[in-house]
């Protein structure tokens, strides 16, 4: 798939998520019952994580595609990205292969013209098994050469409000992890859900731009 086709997939993924999110009235959340409020937090967060990692996967596969098809050389990819990708590849290798020889092989691969193992460490590069807090999102962006300014200042919204409550709801808890009671009438919580929805749109825009401009290239 070329860049336009990948960007179209990102748009399609965002559209179905936005259609579902549009059914929720973010402006009237405080008047809804607790179950509706829980649903809003859970669904909004799931689309934030789902769309972000879907976009990251498409970008990673596009980097691998460009290198494999010689659209760009592996050495044309920004050095920091090459180092981070190779580190993830080494970390994802089996314990038996995490030895001196394997380490040197990967280290030498930084300067090779081609590198065919880019997608092998997808789980480590995109952190597929972890919740998407701001620090993990920033790491994924650094791994792929995507700017993170558009969400890096939203730590309170993403981590302390949305994700903390999402985890409590998902585990059937009546309190937050630190033991604090959940405040259902906290206006900041519901405003945060609306802000996270806008960050999902920005996720689409930023990753599409990274693909179209090949921001991963020096």
């Amino acid at each position: 798939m070329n860049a336009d086709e990948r960007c179209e997939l990102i748009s399609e993924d965002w559209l179905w998520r936005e259609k579902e999110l549009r059914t929720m009235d973010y402006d009237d959340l405080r008047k809804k019952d607790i179950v509706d409020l829980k649903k809003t937090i859970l669904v909004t967060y799931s689309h934030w994580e789902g769309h972000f990692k879907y976009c990251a996967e498409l970008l990673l596969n596009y980097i691998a595609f460009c290198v494999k098809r010689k659209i760009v050389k592996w050495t044309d990819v920004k050095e920091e990205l090459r180092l981070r990708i190779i580190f993830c590849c080494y970390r994802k290798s089996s314990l038996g292969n995490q030895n001196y020889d394997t380490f040197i092989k990967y280290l030498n691969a930084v300067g090779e013209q081609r590198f065919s193992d880019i997608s092998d460490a997808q789980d480590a590069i995109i952190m597929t098994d972890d919740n998407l807090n701001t620090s993990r999102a920033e790491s994924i962006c650094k791994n792929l050469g995507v700017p993170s300014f558009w969400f890096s200042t939203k730590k309170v919204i993403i981590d302390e409000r949305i994700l903390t409550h999402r985890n409590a709801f998902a585990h059937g808890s009546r309190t937050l992890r630190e033991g604090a009671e959940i405040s259902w009438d906290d206006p900041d919580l519901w405003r945060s859900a609306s802000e996270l929805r806008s960050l999902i749109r920005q996720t689409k825009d930023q990753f599409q731009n990274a693909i179209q401009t090949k921001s991963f290239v020096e």
Side-chain angles (χ1 to χ4, degrees):
M1 287 187 289
N2 60 30
D4 289 340
E5 290 170 328
R6 292 170 199 273
C7 287
E8 182 62 27
L9 288 177
I10 288 176
S11 291
E12 291 174 359
D13 187 77
W14 174 78
L15 280 170
W16 81 261
R17 295 178 190 278
E18 175 63 16
K19 182 178 180 181
E20 187 168 289
L21 293 170
R22 203 177 295 141
T23 63
M24 302 176 188
D25 188 353
Y26 287 84
D27 295 327
D28 200 29
L29 281 173
R30 294 180 66 189
K31 297 179 182 179
K32 295 182 180 294
D33 61 37
I34 291 175
V35 172
D36 282 334
L37 297 175
K38 284 184 176 181
K39 180 178 72 173
T40 298
I41 298 298
L42 288 166
V43 171
T44 305
Y45 170 79
S46 71
H47 284 312
W48 154 250
E49 178 178 326
H51 188 59
F52 194 103
K53 292 184 177 180
Y54 178 78
C55 292
E57 180 181 345
L58 281 175
L59 175 55
L60 175 63
N61 290 337
Y62 184 57
I63 296 173
F65 171 83
C66 287
V67 172
K68 183 177 180 180
R69 296 296 181 91
K70 300 181 181 180
I71 298 170
V72 301
K73 297 176 182 177
W74 170 238
T75 48
D76 290 336
V77 176
K78 293 178 179 177
E79 185 179 35
E80 181 185 359
L81 270 64
R82 283 182 279 141
L83 290 169
R84 295 179 75 93
I85 289 171
I86 283 175
F87 173 76
C88 288
C89 288
Y90 177 75
R91 190 158 61 88
K92 282 297 291 182
S93 61
S94 66
L95 290 176
N97 285 326
Q98 289 182 1
N99 52 45
Y100 175 81
D101 291 338
T102 304
F103 179 79
I104 293 300
K105 182 191 78 171
Y106 280 124
L107 190 62
N108 289 335
V110 174
E112 293 177 356
Q113 293 295 306
R114 297 180 69 185
F115 181 66
S116 60
D117 299 339
I118 296 174
S119 297
D120 291 354
Q122 177 174 301
D123 290 352
I125 294 168
I126 302 176
M127 302 180 184
T128 54
D129 294 334
D130 296 314
N131 288 333
L132 191 66
N133 58 24
T134 50
S135 64
R136 292 192 186 105
E138 286 175 342
S139 293
I140 293 169
C141 285
K142 287 179 180 178
N143 289 342
L144 298 172
V146 179
S148 59
F149 66 88
W150 45 283
F151 67 82
S152 58
T153 60
K154 307 292 186 180
K155 181 178 177 64
V156 171
I157 292 172
I158 297 171
D159 298 356
E160 299 179 19
R161 294 179 187 157
I162 299 298
L163 187 53
T164 298
H165 284 79
R166 176 265 174 198
N167 288 341
F169 301 158
H171 297 129
S173 176
R174 297 177 62 184
T175 61
L176 301 178
R177 186 171 59 178
E178 64 273 15
E181 291 290 335
I182 297 172
S183 177
W184 296 108
D185 59 355
D186 180 1
D188 288 335
L189 179 59
W190 315 127
R191 280 196 292 267
S192 295
S194 180
E195 287 192 57
L196 188 61
R197 179 185 174 189
S198 69
L199 288 179
I200 298 171
R201 171 62 183 264
Q202 292 180 63
T203 299
K204 175 184 78 71
D205 295 341
Q206 291 296 328
F207 277 92
Q208 285 180 325
N209 183 67
I211 290 174
Q212 291 284 11
T213 63
K214 294 185 177 66
S215 64
F216 50 88
V217 173
E218 295 279 12

